[in-house]
Amino acid sequence: MVQAKNQSIEELKGKIRRLNSKAGQMKMDLHDLAEGLPTDFEKLTDVAAETYEIYRQLDELKKQLKKLEKGS
């Protein structure tokens, strides 16, 4: 049981690392888009929504990891 929990924690940490990398890239993309305004303003809501979703998922995974680590 402990081994399975540790494996789940490690899997979750891996997912968080990958999503963190993607979130950082999306943040830079959003920043670049904002700096170029008003050019490509049509893309702003789509990129912002995608960036928001990635950060929301990241927050959820971090909460799950904290809960798992507390329980171990």
Side-chain angles (χ1 to χ4, degrees):
M1 178 87 172
V2 173
Q3 186 178 11
K5 186 177 280 191
N6 287 339
Q7 187 176 15
S8 293
I9 289 172
E10 290 308 312
E11 288 174 8
L12 205 48
K13 284 181 179 180
K15 286 180 184 179
I16 289 170
R17 279 192 297 273
R18 289 187 296 277
L19 202 54
N20 245 337
S21 177
K22 189 172 182 178
Q25 182 61 51
M26 287 303 302
K27 182 171 78 170
M28 288 189 296
D29 291 349
L30 185 59
H31 178 266
D32 292 346
L33 183 59
E35 278 191 337
L37 289 173
T39 304
D40 291 331
F41 74 91
E42 302 92 351
K43 297 178 184 178
L44 188 59
T45 54
D46 291 337
V47 174
E50 189 176 347
T51 304
Y52 171 84
E53 181 58 26
I54 289 172
Y55 275 93
R56 189 199 60 72
Q57 290 175 17
L58 188 56
D59 183 59
E60 184 62 36
L61 289 176
K62 286 180 179 180
K63 287 176 184 175
Q64 288 177 21
L65 177 61
K66 193 173 187 177
K67 187 184 262 188
L68 271 177
E69 288 178 331
K70 262 188 177 175
S72 57

